[in-house]
């Protein structure tokens, strides 16, 4: 499959690389690293990495505008995105050929060629494998981006259950002298106001009967801490390993866009099947959803509480 992807890349002079809406470091690093590698290997090709919201992760690089291209002669590569509605790129049906490279559970087929490896840690890991198993070239800057994306999506290997990641990282660290402290600094530095917001969440987290930790962050609260919806939501990764909490979610009101964004994590119960009922999806233990009313968000909390109850019962029956 990787060789077939390489063959298609070789064929097209114009290639656009897109990823999901609500950009995160794994999605952006994988698209920018792939762009850089294609250009390093084939300097004459026209390659664009597109999508909105990239300014937040400007340490990874700059995204391109989807300028006038002849779609009928161009190829689209979509990374880190399981379904068409979440692709952050217009006119995707106009492209001559489409490839999907993803590590999410399968949702739908919408590309000509789909390389999906659900067990892999990140989209960046899949791009690394593409680079190591084909003639696509790599350099220090490409490897740094892929390392950052992989570290981010696994939350410093905390969510990672795929042991092959470690041999891959060991191989690339042997090949490239990455300055790890400086890369971690780029990824994890944050302003004091965000730390204050995190403190607010810690103080005000509500816990349901069966271990769902949740908080509603209204637009007013988010702006009181001078934060934005995206950075508020990302804090969901900081609430693992609390005795009383099995599943936790941040419910963030985005008044400007009239939507309520929900970031959900779990340390046992499967949550993506619940998220799917609320315009969402994602991985078994890391999902997201979008609703329009607080009432819907409360239904979601209730559903997750039920899933936790069933999980606790199942665990107890295993112990007996
Ligand atoms: P996040 O909490 O934004 O880091 O998202 C966790 C996972 O859920 C990622 O794999 C996202 O791609 C996925 N996800 C987040 N929001 C949605 C949504 N509204 N629909 C489908 N998947 C989502």
């Amino acid at each position: 499959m990787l060789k077939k992807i390489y063959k298609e890349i070789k064929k097209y002079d114009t290639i656009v690389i897109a990823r999901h809406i609500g950009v995160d470091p794994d999605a952006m690093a994988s698209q920018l690293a792939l762009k850089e590698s294609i250009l390093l290997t084939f300097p004459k090709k026209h390659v664009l990495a597109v999508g909105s919201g990239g300014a937040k992760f400007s340490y990874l690089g700059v995204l391109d505008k989807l300028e006038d291209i002849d779609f009928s002669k161009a190829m689209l590569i979509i990374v880190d995105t399981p379904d068409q509605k979440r692709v952050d790129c217009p006119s995707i049906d106009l492209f001559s050929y489409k490839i999907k490279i993803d590590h999410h559970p399968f949702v739908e087929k919408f590309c000509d060629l789909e390389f999906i490896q659900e067990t892999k840690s990140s989209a960046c890991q899949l791009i690394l494998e593409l680079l190591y198993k084909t003639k696509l070239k790599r350099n220090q800057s490409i490897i740094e981006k892929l390392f950052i994306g992989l570290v981010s999506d696994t939350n410093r290997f905390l969510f990672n259950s795929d042991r092959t990641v470690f041999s891959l990282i060991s191989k690339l660290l042997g090949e490239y002298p990455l300055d790890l402290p400086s890369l971690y600094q780029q990824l994890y530095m944050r302003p004091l106001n965000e730390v204050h917001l995190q403190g607010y969440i810690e103080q005000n987290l509500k816990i349901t009967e069966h271990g769902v930790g949740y908080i509603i962050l209204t637009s007013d609260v988010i702006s009181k801490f001078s934060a934005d919806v995206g950075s508020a939501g990302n804090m969901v990764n900081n609430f693992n390993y609390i005795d009383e909490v099995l599943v936790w979610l941040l419910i963030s009101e985005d008044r400007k866009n009239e939507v309520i964004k929900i970031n959900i994590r779990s340390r046992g119960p499967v949550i993506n099947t619940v998220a799917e009922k609320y315009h969402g999806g994602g991985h078994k233990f890391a999902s997201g959803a979008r609703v329009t009313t607080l009432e819907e968000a409360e239904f979601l909390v209730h559903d997750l509480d039920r899933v936790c109850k069933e999980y606790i019962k199942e665990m107890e029956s295993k112990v007996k």
Side-chain angles (χ1 to χ4, degrees):
M1 179 66 101
L2 294 172
K3 297 241 159 42
K4 176 104 176 74
I5 294 175
Y6 177 77
K7 242 167 100 183
E8 294 299 334
I9 288 173
K10 213 168 149 189
K11 241 194 251 171
Y12 285 86
D13 289 334
T14 304
I15 299 172
V16 175
I17 306 170
R19 39 78 190 158
H20 60 76
I21 52 170
V23 61
D24 59 37
D26 181 40
M28 185 156 155
S30 54
Q31 63 175 162
L32 285 172
L34 180 57
K35 171 187 166 179
E36 231 172 294
S37 171
I38 295 174
L39 285 174
L40 189 66
T41 318
F42 306 103
K44 289 190 182 146
K45 286 193 193 291
H46 185 45
V47 188
L48 300 169
V50 302
S52 55
K56 238 185 341 193
F57 307 115
S58 57
Y59 56 83
L60 290 170
V62 181
L63 292 169
D64 305 299
K65 290 225 157 61
L66 186 58
E67 60 198 41
D68 270 348
I69 55 163
D70 183 351
F71 288 95
S72 68
K73 291 191 177 134
M75 172 163 83
L76 177 67
I77 302 177
I78 300 154
V79 294
D80 202 30
T81 316
D83 49 348
Q84 180 156 352
K85 72 174 187 313
R86 287 191 31 96
V87 179
D88 192 350
C89 177
S91 320
I92 81 166
D93 288 325
L94 301 180
F95 284 87
S96 162
Y97 196 79
K98 294 193 286 290
I99 294 178
K100 182 206 280 185
I101 300 177
D102 189 30
H103 75 124
H104 288 88
F106 176 80
V107 175
E108 63 178 355
K109 178 163 168 43
F110 62 96
C111 293
D112 303 285
L113 189 62
E114 301 208 334
F115 177 56
I116 304 167
Q117 300 260 289
E118 204 193 311
T119 57
K120 296 295 161 80
S121 68
S122 53
C124 283
Q125 183 180 353
L126 298 180
I127 302 299
L128 269 171
E129 290 181 3
L130 179 67
L131 266 52
Y132 275 103
K133 289 187 180 146
T134 67
K135 289 182 189 155
L136 279 174
K137 292 184 180 164
R138 50 190 189 267
N139 61 18
Q140 172 96 12
S141 146
I142 293 167
I143 294 296
E144 279 180 359
K145 287 183 178 63
L146 293 172
F147 179 81
I148 292 181
L150 193 157
V151 165
S152 167
D153 232 40
T154 59
N155 201 4
R156 282 166 280 172
F157 306 102
L158 210 56
F159 305 147
N160 177 54
S161 55
D162 171 19
R163 284 152 199 243
T164 65
V165 170
F166 296 107
S167 48
L168 193 62
I169 294 290
S170 155
K171 191 167 159 183
L172 70 85
L173 286 178
E175 207 179 336
Y176 295 95
L178 302 190
D179 179 357
L180 301 185
S182 110
L183 295 179
Y184 287 138
Q185 191 155 314
Q186 288 179 13
L187 187 55
Y188 291 112
M189 280 305 282
R190 60 211 167 129
L192 188 61
N193 62 297
E194 285 186 15
V195 181
H196 289 159
L197 176 57
Q198 188 174 316
Y200 172 88
I201 297 170
E202 284 161 3
Q203 293 289 333
N204 293 285
L205 198 70
K206 290 190 182 137
I207 317 282
T208 65
E209 190 184 348
H210 301 101
V212 177
Y214 71 100
I215 185 165
I216 295 168
L217 299 170
T218 60
S219 282
D220 291 340
V221 166
I222 295 170
S223 50
K224 188 177 140 205
F225 287 96
S226 311
D228 59 72
V229 178
S231 43
N234 277 339
M235 286 178 203
V236 75
N237 293 319
N238 301 338
F239 293 90
N240 207 339
Y241 304 120
I242 302 174
D243 272 339
E244 292 79 359
V245 176
L246 269 176
V247 164
W248 59 104
L249 60 154
L250 301 187
I251 300 164
S252 313
E253 182 193 19
D254 181 350
R255 199 177 289 152
K256 199 172 110 204
N257 294 309
E258 297 180 344
V259 68
I260 297 168
K261 293 183 181 163
I262 305 180
N263 304 74
I264 320 166
R265 297 292 183 268
S266 166
R267 60 179 178 86
V270 172
I271 51 176
N272 58 352
T273 42
V274 179
E276 279 162 17
K277 287 167 59 187
Y278 296 86
H279 315 286
H283 304 282
K284 270 190 198 165
F285 306 124
S287 305
R290 274 168 182 243
V291 296
T292 45
T293 65
L294 285 178
E295 198 187 9
E296 270 181 284
E298 272 159 23
F299 280 135
L300 168 60
V301 172
H302 191 264
D303 262 356
L304 289 170
D305 187 64
R306 179 185 44 77
V307 167
C308 285
K309 185 180 175 186
E310 286 161 9
Y311 176 82
I312 294 166
K313 217 165 131 194
E314 196 188 319
M315 289 299 116
E316 283 171 352
S317 72
K318 279 187 184 158
V319 174
K320 276 177 198 160

